[in-house]
């Protein structure tokens, strides 16, 4: 009997440890295509930035936005209300700039600190006419400039709805795609 209780306690400790470190999530929109697609199942590392000043350029992060999550079902909304959970949408985007960086979007290209980014991950070309030109925007302290890979449909730091992201609103860094099984990969 002692051995059984010991095994149960070890299993519970592992579960608690894992829930503190990882978070599963499902992609719900197309703003990160072709890197991620709707209904991809991801594992997030919730502690990825515990010993770092900022995320790395190109990291794919999930963060809490200020956009109200009207898509949440009634049970989720009720649970969030009674537990104090957020009613805001979680978004997934790529880190383009960190505090102090100067971002410019011109002629369909993104420049960070005057250097044109080589973005072979974006889905299609875009132009600032549709997405809004940005000239010499300096990313504020403790903020991130983020963009989706499918630039023509992504609501990201170019939008007033999202703007720059507070680093403390990061839920985690995408580290593994588990589903679909034919597309398992790390990030």
């Amino acid at each position: 009997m002692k051995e059984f209780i010991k095994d149960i306690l070890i299993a519970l400790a592992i579960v608690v440890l894992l829930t503190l470190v990882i978070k599963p999530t499902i992609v719900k929109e197309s703003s990160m295509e072709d890197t991620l697609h709707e209904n991809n199942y991801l594992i997030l590392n919730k502690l990825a930035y515990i010993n770092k000043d900022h995320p790395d350029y190109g990291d794919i992060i999930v963060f809490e936005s200020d956009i109200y999550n009207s898509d949440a079902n009634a049970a989720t909304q009720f649970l969030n209300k009674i537990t104090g959970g957020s009613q805001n949408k979680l978004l997934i985007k790529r880190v383009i700039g960190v505090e102090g960086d100067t971002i410019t979007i011109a002629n369909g290209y993104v420049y960070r600190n005057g250097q044109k980014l080589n973005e072979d991950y974006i889905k299609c070309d875009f132009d600032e006419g549709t997405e809004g030109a940005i000239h010499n925007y300096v990313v504020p302290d403790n903020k991130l400039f983020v963009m989706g890979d499918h630039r023509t449909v992504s609501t990201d730091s170019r939008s007033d709805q999202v703007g720059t992201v507070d680093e403390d609103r990061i839920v985690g860094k995408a580290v593994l795609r588990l589903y679909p099984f034919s597309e398992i990969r790390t990030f």
Side-chain angles (χ1 to χ4, degrees):
M1 183 69 162
K2 274 186 175 181
E3 203 60 35
F4 177 73
I5 292 172
K6 180 181 170 187
D7 290 344
I8 295 293
L9 290 174
I10 290 172
L12 285 173
I14 290 170
V15 167
V16 167
L17 181 63
L18 286 176
T19 59
L20 291 174
V21 176
I22 66 170
K23 175 179 179 56
T25 193
I26 297 174
V27 177
K28 292 292 186 188
E29 297 183 11
S30 61
S31 71
M32 285 300 292
E33 289 180 353
D34 277 340
T35 306
L36 300 171
H37 296 275
E38 195 167 348
N39 296 319
N40 280 179
Y41 189 86
L42 306 176
I43 297 295
L44 306 178
N45 178 351
K46 292 167 49 174
L47 301 177
Y49 305 115
I50 198 149
N51 290 324
K52 294 179 80 174
D53 288 339
H54 310 289
D56 292 327
Y57 299 127
D59 281 359
I60 298 172
I61 62 168
V62 172
F63 60 94
E64 182 185 335
S65 73
D66 287 328
I67 301 170
Y68 179 73
N69 189 4
S70 59
D71 296 336
N73 63 35
T76 301
Q77 289 179 8
F78 176 74
L79 186 60
N80 284 339
K81 282 182 184 176
I82 62 172
T83 62
S86 174
Q87 298 287 333
N88 296 340
K89 255 187 180 182
L90 295 178
L91 298 179
I92 185 164
K93 305 293 176 197
R94 189 178 297 273
V95 175
I96 301 298
V98 299
E99 69 179 18
D101 284 338
T102 301
I103 304 296
T104 296
I105 299 175
N107 302 319
Y109 296 103
V110 177
Y111 299 84
R112 179 178 52 233
N113 303 322
Q115 299 293 315
K116 179 179 153 189
L117 301 185
N118 177 18
E119 298 184 293
D120 55 357
Y121 46 77
I122 63 173
K123 181 173 174 96
C124 56
D125 292 334
F126 71 103
D127 65 65
E128 67 277 4
T130 357
E131 285 76 28
I134 295 175
H135 297 287
N136 296 323
Y137 176 79
V138 178
V139 181
D141 289 348
N142 299 313
K143 301 270 190 172
L144 303 170
F145 192 92
V146 298
M147 295 176 79
D149 290 357
H150 191 176
R151 302 285 162 82
T152 56
V153 300
S154 180
T155 303
D156 49 39
S157 289
R158 298 169 292 166
S159 163
D160 290 339
Q161 284 184 294
V162 176
T164 52
V165 176
D166 290 332
E167 290 187 21
D168 62 353
R169 295 187 89 175
I170 296 173
V171 174
K173 173 186 175 184
V175 293
L176 178 67
R177 175 175 40 214
L178 283 178
Y179 183 83
F181 298 126
S182 61
E183 296 178 17
I184 292 175
R185 71 171 273 206
T186 58
F187 299 102

